[in-house]
Amino acid sequence: MAGDSTNVNQWTDADVYTADPNTAGPTDLTTAWGAGWSAAGLLDGDEGFTEEREGDTNEKYAWGGKLVKVVKSKHKRTISFVAMEDNPVVFELVNPGSTRTTDGVTGITTATVKVPQTVEIGIGFEVREGTKVKRRIVKRAVAEVDGETKESETEPTVYTIKVTIYPEADGTLYTEISGDTAP
C-alpha cells in the first residue's frame, strides 16, 4: 500500500490569537505567542478551522475552441472558526468598535454595542497533535460574525467568526510554520 500514515493529521487541540495588525508572530514552533497576542479561549473542535477561497477565473479560447489562457483575479481567502467563550477577545471580534467594561467592585459588566466597524487585526491560528504543531500568522485581516448567534436553554452560546485575510504587498496571505517539536 502506498502512502504514509504519519502524514495524516487529526488535530487534537487548537488556539486562535489576536493582536494589532502587523504584530510579529512566533518564528518557530515552541516559542510562546509574544506580548500583544491574546487568546480567544475555547474553540469548537468539531467545527475546526475552515479555509475558503473565492475568486474569478476567466478562460480565453483561440479559434477552434482551444484553451490558450486562464486568468485568475479577485482572490479572497477566509478562515472561519467557532468561539465558545464570551471573553474580551471574542467580544472585540464579534463587535468591532464596541466597548465592554466590568466594574471592579460590583462585578457588573456593561457593554455598549455599536454598528460594527471595519477594524483591522493580526490573527494567528495554531493546531496541535501530540508533538506536531502548525501555526499560521496573518498580519492583516478583519473579522465578522458569520450567521446567527443563538442564546438558549439547551445549547451553549457560540460565535461563528469569519476572518477575511488581506494580502501583504508581495501577495503573502499568511506565514505557516509546521513540524514536530520532538527532538
Side-chain angles (χ1 to χ4, degrees), residues 42 44 82-87 90 94 148-160:
L42 295 173
D44 186 332
V82 177
M84 299 182 78
E85 288 189 39
D86 181 5
N87 60 35
V90 172
V94 171
E148 301 175 340
T149 301
K150 178 182 175 182
E151 295 177 328
S152 79
E153 173 182 351
T154 58
E155 299 173 17
T157 301
V158 297
Y159 307 90
T160 303

Side-chain angles (χ1 to χ4, degrees), residues 2-177:
D4 183 351
S5 63
T6 62
N7 290 328
V8 176
N9 297 309
Q10 185 168 354
W11 305 105
T12 56
D13 202 5
D15 283 303
V16 170
Y17 298 89
T18 65
D20 290 334
N22 298 309
T23 299
T27 57
D28 60 39
L29 299 174
T30 57
T31 302
W33 292 79
W37 290 93
S38 301
L42 295 173
L43 307 172
D44 186 332
D46 285 342
E47 294 296 326
F49 297 145
T50 303
E51 185 171 337
E52 292 184 67
R53 300 169 184 224
E54 292 180 32
D56 291 344
T57 301
N58 194 348
E59 298 175 344
K60 304 295 182 184
Y61 292 86
W63 276 359
K66 294 179 182 153
L67 179 65
V68 295
K69 186 172 283 279
V70 175
V71 178
K72 294 181 181 282
S73 65
K74 299 181 182 176
H75 182 80
K76 176 180 168 182
R77 186 79 54 103
T78 61
I79 299 176
S80 297
F81 64 96
V82 177
M84 299 182 78
E85 288 189 39
D86 181 5
N87 60 35
V89 172
V90 172
F91 180 83
E92 289 177 16
L93 291 172
V94 171
N95 302 290
S98 298
T99 59
R100 182 164 74 175
T101 57
T102 301
D103 185 291
V105 176
T106 65
I108 294 174
T109 300
T110 303
T112 302
V113 178
K114 297 183 177 183
V115 173
Q117 299 174 4
T118 301
V119 176
E120 288 189 17
I121 59 170
I123 193 160
F125 300 90
E126 179 174 306
V127 289
R128 298 174 295 282
E129 177 188 17
T131 57
K132 293 193 314 189
V133 177
K134 179 166 65 171
R135 290 175 162 178
R136 290 181 183 154
I137 299 102
V138 178
K139 289 189 175 180
R140 290 180 52 239
V142 292
E144 63 184 328
V145 172
D146 187 24
E148 301 175 340
T149 301
K150 178 182 175 182
E151 295 177 328
S152 79
E153 173 182 351
T154 58
E155 299 173 17
T157 301
V158 297
Y159 307 90
T160 303
I161 298 169
K162 180 180 272 191
V163 176
T164 302
I165 300 169
Y166 293 155
E168 297 174 43
D170 67 358
T172 300
L173 294 168
Y174 53 77
T175 301
E176 183 174 288
I177 306 165

